[in-house]
Amino acid sequence: MEFAAGARLEVRIGASDVGKRVTVRSLTEAAAPGAAFTDTVGILTSWDEGVLLVTRRDGTRVRLAEETVVAAKVVPAAPARRRGPAADFAELAGVQERGWQAVEREALGGWLLRASRVDGAVGGAGASTGFTRRANSVLPLGDPGMPLPEALDQVRRWYGARGLPAYAQLATGAGDTQEVLAAELEEHGWRREVSALVMVGALAPLAELGPASMGSLAVVAPIAEGPETADPGVRLGRTPDEAWLRRYNRAAGTGPGGVPPGVLAVLASGPSPWFARVDAAGAGGGDTASGRRDFVHTGKGVSQAAGVPDAIGRCVVDGRWAGFSAVEVAPERRRTGLARRVMGALARTALAEGASAAWLQVERDNEAAVALYTRLGFTVHHHYHHYRAPESA
């Protein structure tokens, strides 16, 4: 948002506007006569000792010296989405948490402590660690019921007792997200390590994805083993079998029976999880009496299954939402439509269960994946970030 040409320039914000969305016009660093202006739009997260801190939608923090500000005002919240399903942050955050549930969960007021501790690093030996930051971070969706410094100390102690580093998962860029809290954590020495995009889109168009241009695809009601698929080359299952785990990059390389139970518990969590895979050419069958090809569980461990699938994916159905994750394709088979086929089969499954909207998370520096999901109709809903506590208080 820009200031209208010819409008009177006024600074119409103050410290009392912290937490509101603002637009600020300031001089660039070269403050010589004729120097250019720059406009910054975001959440005013602090105004202290002559410095304004504004957090942009992607979580980037901009520091502005008060003496460089020539105009500023409060502006309305980001406009409503014009594409894709409408959802507020609280709804989507709850769906995300249920779709990737930690093994251990404990409330701290309105915060949720989450841990999924595994013995030894997945894929090799090592000290105990946590399976993904999402399942090993505090999710602060409300008031912890105590002053922030005390809450952060409790978080550090809780994770320390489990031999895990303390992480917090915070969001920016949507209504009621946590820009102010993120700034406060940084003031307490917490540092952002990784950021990701949360993208949403309509589910029905995904259901038409298949091995070729398939047109409108009928979705039949679920049967005993699961819903039919219009793409017989995609196998479906309720839990990840050995072959699926061989492709999954966070489990690849584990020995017989080596995937920790905590990893399997997180993968199989959620109201209605589904797993899909496309086997390499010549792989064995898992046909059912109905002619569908489904998962086969041998109980022999990941390394005992023959072959590695060309592609896999995971989807959790939760009411109107279908959440996609673990969409992975063999490097030599990328750009051949396999990711689309996996997502199409999972989307048809979710539609058959009554879902209508889709969401997914992707690291924002994964440009190829972001481009694919954008082509499939997904748009960014918000950004989320993991902050790590300092090593010492």
Side-chain angles (χ1 to χ4, degrees), residues 154-249:
Q154 291 233 25
V155 169
R156 290 164 57 95
R157 286 195 295 270
W158 194 86
Y159 284 100
R162 290 154 179 78
L164 298 172
Y167 282 98
Q169 180 177 316
L170 303 178
T172 61
D176 299 323
T177 42
Q178 300 147 314
E179 288 85 354
V180 173
L181 180 57
E184 291 175 334
L185 258 64
E186 291 200 8
E187 291 175 2
H188 284 83
W190 292 57
R191 291 294 176 260
R192 186 171 65 186
E193 281 195 353
V194 66
S195 298
L197 307 176
V198 176
M199 305 182 76
V200 298
L203 185 63
L206 300 179
E208 297 191 1
L209 299 174
S213 180
M214 303 174 71
S216 181
L217 296 175
V219 179
V220 302
I223 59 175
E225 297 90 345
E228 296 283 358
T229 173
D231 184 352
V234 181
R235 303 188 181 194
L236 297 171
R238 278 299 200 174
T239 56
D241 67 355
E242 294 88 349
W244 193 97
L245 290 166
R246 284 177 62 84
R247 171 55 58 197
Y248 184 50
N249 66 13

Side-chain angles (χ1 to χ4, degrees), residues 57 79-89 91-92 198-206 320-322 355-360 376-382:
R57 187 179 184 216
R81 304 182 53 79
R82 296 176 180 171
R83 289 200 303 154
D88 59 28
F89 166 68
E91 177 191 3
L92 205 48
V198 176
M199 305 182 76
V200 298
L203 185 63
L206 300 179
R320 72 183 181 112
W321 290 99
S356 60
W359 69 270
L360 54 82
L376 294 180
F378 285 88
T379 56
V380 176
H381 183 276
H382 65 271

Side-chain angles (χ1 to χ4, degrees), residues 121-389:
V122 177
S128 295
T129 186
F131 174 61
T132 74
R133 291 182 183 87
R134 279 184 285 162
N136 291 275
S137 56
V138 62
L139 186 64
L141 296 180
D143 188 336
M146 61 190 73
L148 181 62
E150 184 179 342
L152 296 179
D153 285 343
Q154 291 233 25
V155 169
R156 290 164 57 95
R157 286 195 295 270
W158 194 86
Y159 284 100
R162 290 154 179 78
L164 298 172
Y167 282 98
Q169 180 177 316
L170 303 178
T172 61
D176 299 323
T177 42
Q178 300 147 314
E179 288 85 354
V180 173
L181 180 57
E184 291 175 334
L185 258 64
E186 291 200 8
E187 291 175 2
H188 284 83
W190 292 57
R191 291 294 176 260
R192 186 171 65 186
E193 281 195 353
V194 66
S195 298
L197 307 176
V198 176
M199 305 182 76
V200 298
L203 185 63
L206 300 179
E208 297 191 1
L209 299 174
S213 180
M214 303 174 71
S216 181
L217 296 175
V219 179
V220 302
I223 59 175
E225 297 90 345
E228 296 283 358
T229 173
D231 184 352
V234 181
R235 303 188 181 194
L236 297 171
R238 278 299 200 174
T239 56
D241 67 355
E242 294 88 349
W244 193 97
L245 290 166
R246 284 177 62 84
R247 171 55 58 197
Y248 184 50
N249 66 13
R250 294 183 184 273
T254 54
V259 178
V263 173
L264 297 176
V266 174
L267 287 171
S269 67
S272 181
W274 285 95
F275 297 81
R277 77 172 196 258
V278 177
D279 287 337
D287 295 352
T288 66
S290 65
R292 284 189 14 265
R293 309 182 72 188
D294 292 314
F295 281 15
V296 176
H297 295 267
T298 67
K300 296 180 180 179
V302 176
S303 67
Q304 299 300 312
V308 180
D310 280 342
I312 61 170
R314 174 182 180 268
C315 177
V316 175
V317 183
D318 184 355
R320 72 183 181 112
W321 290 99
F324 293 83
S325 61
V327 178
E328 300 182 11
V329 179
E332 68 276 10
R333 297 280 283 144
R334 290 172 185 166
R335 300 184 182 275
T336 61
L338 290 182
R340 291 168 175 262
R341 289 176 62 186
V342 165
M343 294 185 69
L346 290 170
R348 292 187 286 276
T349 303
L351 278 177
E353 293 193 8
S356 60
W359 69 270
L360 54 82
Q361 299 174 167
V362 58
E363 292 189 7
R364 62 188 186 191
D365 60 357
N366 189 345
E367 296 179 358
V370 172
L372 169 64
Y373 298 139
T374 300
R375 290 195 300 271
L376 294 180
F378 285 88
T379 56
V380 176
H381 183 276
H382 65 271
H383 302 244
Y384 81 85
H385 320 274
H386 282 111
Y387 286 81
R388 182 168 178 159

Side-chain angles (χ1 to χ4, degrees), residues 2 74 275:
E2 298 181 353
V74 175
F275 297 81

Side-chain angles (χ1 to χ4, degrees), residues 33-179:
F37 296 108
T38 183
D39 291 336
T40 304
V41 180
I43 303 298
L44 179 64
T45 49
S46 69
W47 190 333
D48 216 14
E49 297 181 351
V51 177
L52 288 73
L53 186 63
V54 179
T55 302
R56 291 183 170 134
R57 187 179 184 216
D58 64 358
T60 303
R61 302 173 71 196
V62 180
R63 295 179 181 273
L64 301 171
E66 187 175 324
E67 62 268 19
T68 68
V69 176
V70 297
K73 61 182 179 181
V74 175
V75 294
R81 304 182 53 79
R82 296 176 180 171
R83 289 200 303 154
D88 59 28
F89 166 68
E91 177 191 3
L92 205 48
V95 170
Q96 291 174 259
E97 193 280 323
R98 291 190 296 272
W100 195 261
Q101 287 185 23
V103 175
E104 186 178 3
R105 301 154 84 229
E106 182 178 324
L108 179 65
W111 292 14
L112 181 63
L113 298 158
R114 305 174 294 178
S116 299
R117 185 172 174 267
V118 295
D119 293 327
V122 177
S128 295
T129 186
F131 174 61
T132 74
R133 291 182 183 87
R134 279 184 285 162
N136 291 275
S137 56
V138 62
L139 186 64
L141 296 180
D143 188 336
M146 61 190 73
L148 181 62
E150 184 179 342
L152 296 179
D153 285 343
Q154 291 233 25
V155 169
R156 290 164 57 95
R157 286 195 295 270
W158 194 86
Y159 284 100
R162 290 154 179 78
L164 298 172
Y167 282 98
Q169 180 177 316
L170 303 178
T172 61
D176 299 323
T177 42
Q178 300 147 314
E179 288 85 354

